[in-house]
Amino acid sequence: MINSPEPILPPEIELSIFHFCAQSNPRMVPVLIQVSQRVKTWIEPLRFRQLYFKRNKATHLITLVKWKEADSLAQHVQYFVIGAGISYPEHILITSILPHCAGMRDLALFTGVQNHTYACLPSFPQLRYLTLCHRYVNYFVRFLRENPSFTLQITHLHSDWDSLVSLESLVPFQLPNLTHMAGEWLESEYRAQLMDKRVEIVARMLEYGQIQCIVLSIPRSSLSGCRTGLIWNHPKVIQLEIAVAGAFEAEWICKNGSLRFWETIESKVKKF
């Protein structure tokens, strides 16, 4: 580590500068911590603010995380992502790390997980944002149905709408704090008969007093012939046409986090 001279700036200003640099470009953190011991103490925890486990990179991150004590993880990890394509042995190791991240606010699952992973979610008191891959959300729904006394205090849920509508009867009882839902209809789901059914379910969910906002990521032209009048002009509905759609949306959330996704929506739409 470089023995840098005594700082010229006041510590609080120097701290804010290094924090800004690290948060603007997290890839620079390993470089910045070489500046001095004081800078390392300030910003090294930012390396663990977002844990993104993806194919061919999971083993390296697991080794990195194991170097830290569980208390450090509990204090610093805010965003936890399990990406697609993780091997089963890596998946077991990753899910063994998850319970130590007590301060986690944002969880994204783009692969299937065991029931014990869902069961541990209430142990994260600050967890508010949950993203579920459409290929595996049915496991989450099945877990809720098999455990009717289970409740989760999340406020924001994101998936595809074919999955979200399956939660209709579960939201008031097992997701009592859920206020915001978002999802995209897959292109293969644009058939009018299926769309009408989903539209009716969304319309019923809009009547739940707890729901403040429902985001539909789908071009309005794709809804022609469907009973969109039930939902399209509803004050709680946001129709979103942005670049982060479909498969690309999942990758965007992996890199930026569900919280950033919702902040992006909020910056574009004034219905919040």
Side-chain angles (χ1 to χ4, degrees):
M1 182 171 294
I2 299 173
N3 292 318
S4 63
E6 289 299 314
I8 299 176
L9 296 174
E12 60 273 13
I13 295 179
E14 190 181 31
L15 171 62
S16 65
I17 292 172
F18 278 104
H19 263 201
F20 176 80
C21 294
Q23 292 173 357
S24 300
N25 188 358
R27 294 182 180 180
M28 287 298 295
V29 172
V31 177
L32 294 173
I33 63 176
Q34 300 299 317
V35 172
S36 69
Q37 183 61 47
R38 68 181 182 279
V39 175
K40 180 179 180 180
T41 302
W42 287 340
I43 69 173
E44 188 174 33
L46 296 179
R47 299 175 73 181
F48 305 97
R49 173 175 289 187
Q50 176 172 318
L51 296 184
Y52 177 17
F53 299 98
K54 60 182 179 179
R55 183 169 51 190
N56 300 327
K57 296 292 181 68
T59 302
H60 169 71
L61 280 171
I62 291 169
T63 303
L64 182 66
V65 169
K66 283 188 173 181
W67 177 72
K68 299 293 288 183
E69 296 180 355
D71 289 345
S72 297
L73 292 178
Q75 181 179 357
H76 298 301
V77 174
Q78 295 184 14
Y79 176 44
F80 199 104
V81 184
I82 303 180
I86 299 294
S87 69
Y88 183 73
E90 289 175 333
H91 183 273
I92 295 300
L93 288 172
I94 292 170
T95 53
S96 71
I97 294 169
L98 185 60
H100 295 293
C101 305
M104 180 177 61
R105 299 180 58 204
D106 189 343
L107 175 64
L109 301 174
F110 292 97
T111 187
V113 297
Q114 302 295 321
N115 279 352
H116 65 80
T117 300
Y118 295 130
C120 79
L121 294 184
S123 63
F124 305 114
Q126 299 183 52
L127 180 61
R128 295 294 179 267
Y129 302 89
L130 179 62
T131 298
L132 299 171
C133 173
H134 69 275
R135 294 186 180 91
Y136 304 103
V137 72
N138 58 309
Y139 295 114
F140 178 65
V141 173
R142 185 173 64 187
F143 172 79
L144 292 179
R145 294 187 186 281
E146 292 175 351
N147 299 272
S149 62
F150 176 91
T151 58
L152 190 59
Q153 305 304 317
I154 61 170
T155 57
H156 293 65
L157 178 62
H158 179 270
S159 185
D160 72 292
W161 271 103
D162 193 35
S163 303
L164 293 177
V165 295
S166 64
L167 291 167
E168 178 196 4
S169 62
L170 306 175
V171 168
F173 307 103
Q174 294 179 269
L175 303 171
N177 291 344
L178 186 66
T179 57
H180 293 69
M181 303 176 70
E184 58 280 350
W185 260 295
L186 305 179
E187 188 173 356
S188 60
E189 298 172 350
Y190 289 168
R191 294 189 297 274
Q193 185 176 2
L194 291 177
M195 290 293 287
D196 282 347
K197 182 177 180 181
R198 294 186 179 94
V199 165
E200 290 177 3
I201 294 175
V202 172
R204 289 198 295 268
M205 296 175 78
L206 284 166
E207 299 307 313
Y208 297 156
Q210 70 188 81
I211 298 297
Q212 298 177 15
C213 174
I214 285 183
V215 179
L216 302 175
S217 296
I218 184 171
R220 187 167 186 172
S221 58
S222 300
L223 295 175
S224 59
C226 300
R227 299 177 61 194
T228 56
L230 291 174
I231 62 172
W232 204 253
N233 297 317
H234 197 287
K236 293 182 180 180
V237 171
I238 293 176
Q239 187 265 337
L240 196 64
E241 294 187 69
I242 56 177
V244 289
F248 180 71
E249 185 170 296
E251 182 64 21
W252 191 90
I253 288 176
C254 277
K255 292 180 179 179
N256 298 278
S258 301
L259 174 59
R260 184 72 62 81
F261 171 81
W262 286 102
E263 288 175 343
T264 301
I265 296 174
E266 185 173 2
S267 69
K268 293 178 177 295
V269 184
K270 301 304 181 182
K271 284 190 178 182
F272 274 23

